[in-house]
Amino acid sequence: MFITMIASECAPVAKVGGLGDVVYGLSRELEIRGNAVEIILPKYDCMRYDHIWDLQVTHPDLWVPWLNYHVRCTVWFGFVHGRKCFFIEPHSHDNFFNRGSYYGFVDEHMRFAFFTKAALEFLLQSGKRPDIIHTHDWQTALAPVMLYDLYQHGGMEKARVCHTIHNFKHQGIAGENVLWFTGLGRPEYYFHKDRLGDDFNPSAINYMKGAVVYANFVTTVSPRHAWEVRHTDWGYGLGHTLHLHQEKFGGVLNGLDYDMWNPGNDPYIDTPYEAGDYAGKQANKQALRKKLWLREEETGETKRPLVAYVGRLDAQKGVHLIKHAIRYTLARGGQFVLLGSSPEMGINAEFWQLKHELNDDPNCHLEIGYDEELAHMIYAGADMLVVPSMFEPCGLTQMIALRYGSLPVVRAVGGLADTVFDYEQSELPREQRNGFVFHETHEPALESALGRAIDLWYEKPAAFRELIANGMAYDYSWNQPGQHYLDIYQHIQA
Ligand code: ADP
């Protein structure tokens, strides 16, 4: 099969969160299984160009129709750790992708509508005829709409679209002008509630709703979340539309790229280690302490568990619980490392404030920013990783933690509930339990789970290690989900 991914992120070259990991990891798995995969991305100025090999111009003049004129784009090609990637660079005064960061601009809906249109135009003009176009999140959600209403009859009859929703919170809400710019036009047609008309704002279209209506199949990133978005508020208003299209909607748990995330062969960590090698794990803990100027253990000193958080600092991630985890861990004599950043000034400021408050504490380090290499060191060096999300479509950090032998302490939502099973309360057999889980969103709930994890670390180190071994034995690679996506592609193929 020939599969084209159209996405706004791909790890590690253009990654903000899990979406980037998924685009890379799924593409790799599909290729391993004998399919041809190409990825189309915007050419951002802020990409990690050091992760692209042989970058060169392949199509110097891609003219993309836009409103009543054409925008000239240059299409580049390069390999990102073996993946074949095309990068679209528009030349217009809008300067859509030369802004120093990936997201967060007032014309966001125009930037990605343009990119989506340019990607389809590229397929059309270059003669590429994928069997499957796989699009991701709101940024590329207009692709199935444009494909079926503008491109299908121009020579792209064969392509079928699978759309994956990684986060329902951001749906791409825009006004009528997008329809004119993209050439879709016909506002009275698209504003209909059965098509793109937003259910809350009568003067807006909703890109993601468009994908749910037009795509041949729609997935979200865990079975539990697929249920939540239809039956609770976590669908952010799309529950009804999903219900209408339920026969083409399902949850596929994300995989983890076991090559990129492999403690046995990770270039960013101090000491590679396998399951059962506790000395190796310990060496990484010491290396992390050294790097972040945390107090190191001296002979005779009480040992301290190291608890970590890695991820975006966003209301979704349970900001109040992250903060509480820091204070609670320190009060229990542990050490805490946080790596995260937020595009929201307010949340960033809160964490900078906390960082200043805790500046003199030798048991705590808050790193506010994005740092891929440090993230690897933290997963390898931590004893536990907290993921106290309010909602979590899948969550990759808990899976990375399991792979690196760091015990996940998570709230039972979405993909977290599908992947982490409580040491004491799970109904699974003992050898399949792999972490600690809590349910409510208040601080005592987090304390109960983190407290139990810390107790186990202090009081029953052998049981703690056994739990880690259980976690490392799980297979959360792309092996199963890769096959699942292939089944979906086959199911929708023309
Ligand atoms: P989301 O997609 O909601 O951001 P996920 O748990 O699905 O959350 O994926 C997060 C991914 O991004 C993981 O690979 C994690 O290691 C990475 N990540 C998040 N924040 C940072 C950061 N500040 N520095 C380095 N890596 C980060």
Side-chain angles (χ1 to χ4, degrees), residues 360-371:
D360 295 330
D361 193 326
N363 291 316
C364 184
H365 183 95
L366 309 187
E367 184 71 28
I368 299 166
Y370 187 93
D371 187 334

Side-chain angles (χ1 to χ4, degrees), residues 45-46 161 191 240 264 271 311 345 347 350 354 366 376 385 484:
D45 58 350
C46 53
V161 182
F191 270 81
H240 176 65
T271 309
M345 304 294 264
I347 297 182
E350 278 177 47
L354 191 61
L366 309 187
H376 285 247
L385 186 96
H484 199 150

Side-chain angles (χ1 to χ4, degrees), residues 78 129 171-172 223 244 250 277 284 297 320 346 396 451:
R129 295 294 178 263
Q171 300 183 356
L244 293 178
D277 176 6
N284 286 296
E297 260 150 38
H320 67 296
L396 292 178

Side-chain angles (χ1 to χ4, degrees), residues 49-181:
Y49 283 88
D50 55 326
H51 287 285
I52 312 177
W53 282 262
D54 282 344
L55 183 63
Q56 51 190 281
V57 172
T58 52
H59 300 76
D61 291 307
L62 174 76
W63 290 94
V64 178
W66 193 236
L67 193 61
N68 51 3
Y69 53 98
H70 285 73
V71 174
R72 187 174 76 85
C73 298
T74 305
V75 184
W76 300 69
F77 174 83
F79 288 97
V80 173
H81 296 264
R83 306 289 72 72
K84 296 186 181 109
C85 295
F86 289 93
F87 302 94
I88 296 184
E89 177 186 28
H91 304 283
S92 78
H93 57 268
D94 288 313
N95 212 25
F96 281 140
F97 304 113
N98 293 320
R99 301 186 182 180
S101 60
Y102 298 105
Y103 304 131
F105 303 98
V106 285
D107 58 348
E108 210 73 337
H109 57 287
M110 277 295 179
R111 298 172 72 218
F112 290 101
F114 178 82
F115 165 64
T116 305
K117 169 107 186 157
L120 290 174
E121 200 65 39
F122 171 55
L123 294 178
L124 181 73
Q125 293 186 29
S126 63
K128 291 180 183 291
R129 295 294 178 263
D131 303 295
I132 298 292
I133 297 176
H134 195 152
T135 50
H136 300 266
D137 265 351
W138 76 265
Q139 288 90 345
T140 53
L142 285 181
V145 184
M146 293 188 206
L147 178 76
Y148 284 114
D149 285 354
L150 298 179
Y151 289 89
Q152 180 170 233
H153 302 297
M156 294 185 52
E157 295 80 14
K158 173 171 95 152
R160 292 291 175 266
V161 182
C162 174
H163 184 79
T164 296
I165 300 176
H166 301 254
N167 196 328
F168 280 83
K169 191 174 171 186
H170 307 285
Q171 300 183 356
I173 305 297
E176 182 180 322
N177 58 350
V178 167
L179 296 174
W180 297 116
F181 273 88

Side-chain angles (χ1 to χ4, degrees), residues 104 313-314 341-353 368:
L313 300 173
D314 182 283
S341 65
S342 173
E344 280 178 49
M345 304 294 264
I347 297 182
N348 252 346
E350 278 177 47
F351 277 89
W352 274 107
Q353 165 77 23
I368 299 166

Side-chain angles (χ1 to χ4, degrees), residues 15-19 21 167 261 310-312 316-317 339-341 369-372 375 379 392 395-397 400:
K15 167 174 160 179
V16 173
L19 165 62
D21 287 303
N167 196 328
W261 297 105
V310 178
R312 291 182 298 117
Q316 172 197 339
K317 301 291 180 182
L339 169 61
S341 65
Y370 187 93
D371 187 334
E372 188 74 33
Y379 292 118
E392 193 59 79
L396 292 178
T397 63
I400 306 173

